[in-house]
Every structure is written in C-alpha cells, then in structure tokens.
C-alpha cells in the first residue's frame, strides 16, 4: 500500500498528533561522530515534549517513525527513513507494528493507525502492517461519531484490506473484514464474492458459520444492487423493474433504492416521477447532498425556480454543518491531546 504517492484520506485527523513534538537539530559533533552528516545535517529531528530528558537513538527513531506516520508527505521523510535504516534497519518497522497493536488494544486507534502507517513507509513489503492498518481504521470508524471521520477511515480500511488480498491471496482474515466493509458501503455483490473466498480459505469454523448465515441473507440485497448497476449502465427500464419489487418490502427504508429509481426516471426524461422518488430519499437520509443536487436539476427542468432555490440553500446549509462538525471534532480532539 503506497502511503507516499496516494491520497492521504485520514491525514487531516492524524497530523494534529504531531503537535506533541518539538523539533531541534542534532549537533555537528554528534552527526560527525555517528557518520550522519550527509543524512541529518540541517534536518530538524522530532522530540516528544514528554521525553526532553530522555533522548536516545531509539527515541529519535521512534519519533521519526511517528512523524512520517502522521504525515507521509513530511518534508524530511526521506532523511528520517535513511536514519532509521542506518541506525537499526528495515526491521525497525516490526517494532512500530507491535507498538500499534498495543495502542489498538487500549482503544487508541488513531495512534495505532499512525504506527502502522510509519511501518508501511519504512517497509512497503510488510503485509502485516497493511492488515493491521486496515483493522485499526475499521475500529476507528466503528467507534467514531462524526460523519466525515467515519467516511474517511472506512475508505482507508477497505483499501487496506483490498491491498492485503492482492498481495496475499490466501490471507483469509482480510477477506472476512473486507466483506463487512463492502456491506457497509452497500456493495453486496462484492461482499458475496469476497465472503465466498473467505469460506474457501478459512479454517475458522465458527467464523465460516457466521459468514454462511450472512450470505443466506444477501440474495435480495444482491438483486437490488444489480438493479442499481442496470441503471448506472443506462438500462433504466430494466433497473426500475428490478427495484420496484422492493418498494413495499423491508427494504423500503433503504434510501439508495429510491435514489436510483429517481435516477432511472431522470434518465427516461420523467421529471415528476424522478422528483417524487428523490423526495422519498430525504426523510431517510436528511443530509444527502447528492439527492438535493438532483432535485435542483429536476425543479429547474420543470421551471420551478422557487423549489430549485430552496434545495440550493439546503445544500449550502448541510455543507456548512458538515464542515463545522469536522472542525469541532478536530478541535475537541486537540483539546484532549493538549
């Protein structure tokens, strides 16, 4: 999993942990004595504020690993990696993984994510680091409250488990958690295929029984997703035929059901029917900006400028609330860390 060249979805939440450090340069005498001038000359090193009296090569390396875990794009990342590998070696990543596991066990999931990210940067071949990162992101979003936080950590978790299954196709546990990740995204076809692989690979009879029970309840959700896919591929009438069977079923409170029916009617040029379907989304998903945007388009199409403007304003309000909640969550976390 390339932590350096990929989008850092959760960095906005992790970088604040770097506020617990101060940065200072090592003396020229120390650098020369340890043959480090080429690596660290002019490079500030991180010192945890609580460790000012106990600085050692180990604490320096640990802190460097932590900082690049907070921010894979950190300016002195390559210098830090070179220092850690020169003083210890790439196996230092295993210590970061162990530290991350301990953090996860005490429910400090953000700290755990940082350690696993640091390990992944130091040793990009470490499948264990990627798997543990996926687990920590999963635990973080399951214990999260703020919508943006949950979405970002969920996306990271799924991407990590996908990476594990690509690197280690026989890693059964990755398929187990990945299936649940797909379920959380409403990707039922992917969940079914993933759990089929888990059952083939796993020797854990208890978990296999659990997943078989889950699979037995996926038939209808899988068909609904197939209806979504028909609509996304432009087969609007066929998609509606599949989905309308579920509008008076136990799935009637699934907002995506109404959203995609609305998209199908929109594709068929049936504006009134599309609007009626989109309006059924909002009581189920009140902050659904995508649905509001479609309503703006549909009301514009039928010439109802007043209602189009109503939903434009709602979009602005929801977007502002989401951003305010995100900033408040970050501020609250910073207050706890300080």
């Amino acid at each position: 999993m390339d932590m350096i060249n990929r989008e850092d979805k959760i960095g906005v939440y992790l970088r604040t942990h770097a506020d617990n450090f101060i940065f200072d340069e090592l003396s020229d005498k120390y650098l020369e004595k340890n043959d480090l001038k080429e690596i660290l000359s002019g490079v500030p090193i991180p010192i945890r504020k609580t460790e000012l009296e106990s600085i050692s090569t180990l604490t320096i390396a640990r802190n460097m690993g932590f900082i690049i875990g907070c921010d894979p794009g950190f300016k002195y990342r390559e210098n830090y990696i070179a220092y850690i590998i020169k003083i210890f070696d790439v196996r230092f990543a295993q210590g970061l993984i162990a530290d991350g596991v301990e953090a996860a066990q005490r429910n400090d999931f953000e700290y755990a994510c940082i350690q696993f990210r640091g390990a992944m940067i130091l040793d990009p071949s470490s499948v264990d680091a990627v798997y543990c990162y996926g687990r920590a992101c999963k635990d973080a979003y399951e214990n999260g409250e703020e919508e943006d936080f949950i979405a970002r950590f969920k996306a990271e978790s799924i991407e990590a488990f996908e990476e594990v299954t690509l690197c280690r196709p026989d890693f059964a546990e990755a398929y187990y958690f990945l299936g649940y990740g797909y379920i959380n995204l409403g990707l039922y076809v992917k969940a079914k295929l993933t759990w089929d692989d888990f059952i083939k690979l796993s020797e854990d009879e208890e978990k296999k029984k659990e997943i078989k029970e889950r699979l037995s309840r996926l038939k209808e959700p899988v068909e609904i997703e197939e209806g979504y896919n028909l609509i996304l591929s432009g087969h609007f009438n066929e998609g509606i035929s599949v989905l309308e069977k579920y509008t008076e079923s136990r799935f009637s409170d699934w907002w995506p059901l109404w959203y995609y029916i609305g998209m199908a009617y929109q594709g068929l040029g049936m504006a009134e029917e599309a609007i009626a379907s989109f309006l059924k989304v909002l009581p189920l998903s009140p902050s659904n900006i995508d649905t509001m945007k479609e309503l703006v388009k549909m009301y514009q199409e039928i010439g109802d400028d007043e209602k189009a403007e109503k939903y434009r304003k709602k979009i602005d309000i929801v977007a502002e609330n989401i951003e305010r909640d995100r900033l408040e969550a970050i501020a609250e976390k910073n207050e706890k860390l300080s």
Side-chain angles (χ1 to χ4, degrees), residues 96-211:
L96 298 181
I97 294 172
D99 195 28
V101 170
E102 288 183 10
Q105 288 172 343
R106 62 176 184 267
N107 296 331
D108 193 347
F109 302 120
E110 289 186 28
Y111 186 99
C113 286
I114 290 168
Q115 295 298 78
F116 298 139
R117 280 156 58 107
M120 290 154 62
I121 293 169
L122 279 175
D123 184 4
S125 68
S126 175
V127 176
D128 287 342
V130 182
Y131 173 72
C132 289
Y133 180 57
R135 289 287 304 272
C137 288
K138 171 183 174 293
D139 290 336
Y141 79 72
E142 287 181 346
N143 287 275
E145 296 179 358
E146 194 259 319
E147 187 175 338
D148 182 69
F149 177 96
I150 292 170
R152 288 172 180 269
F153 278 80
K154 184 181 293 184
E156 280 290 274
S157 175
I158 290 171
E159 190 167 332
F161 290 132
E162 287 176 335
E163 181 71 16
V164 174
T165 62
L166 289 173
C167 296
R168 285 267 305 277
D170 60 342
F171 201 134
E173 287 296 294
Y175 293 92
Y176 174 84
F177 290 108
L178 182 56
Y180 277 110
Y182 287 147
I183 288 287
N184 285 332
L185 289 182
L187 300 174
Y188 302 104
V189 174
K190 279 191 170 184
K192 180 185 182 304
L193 295 172
T194 300
W195 277 341
D196 285 342
D197 286 335
F198 170 74
I199 289 172
K200 292 175 188 173
L201 293 168
S202 179
E203 296 180 359
D204 187 328
E205 294 302 325
E206 187 174 338
K207 281 187 177 177
K208 286 168 71 171
K209 180 181 177 183
E210 169 197 334
I211 295 305

Side-chain angles (χ1 to χ4, degrees), residues 3 17 25 41 43 57 74 97 101 106 118 146 166 216 220 260 267 277 293 297 300 307:
M3 293 304 306
H17 289 266
E25 294 183 23
S41 181
V43 175
T57 54
F74 185 68
I97 294 172
V101 170
R106 62 176 184 267
E146 194 259 319
L166 289 173
S216 70
E220 291 166 309
Y260 283 103
S277 294
K293 288 179 179 178
K297 286 194 285 188
Q300 283 180 321
K307 286 186 177 175

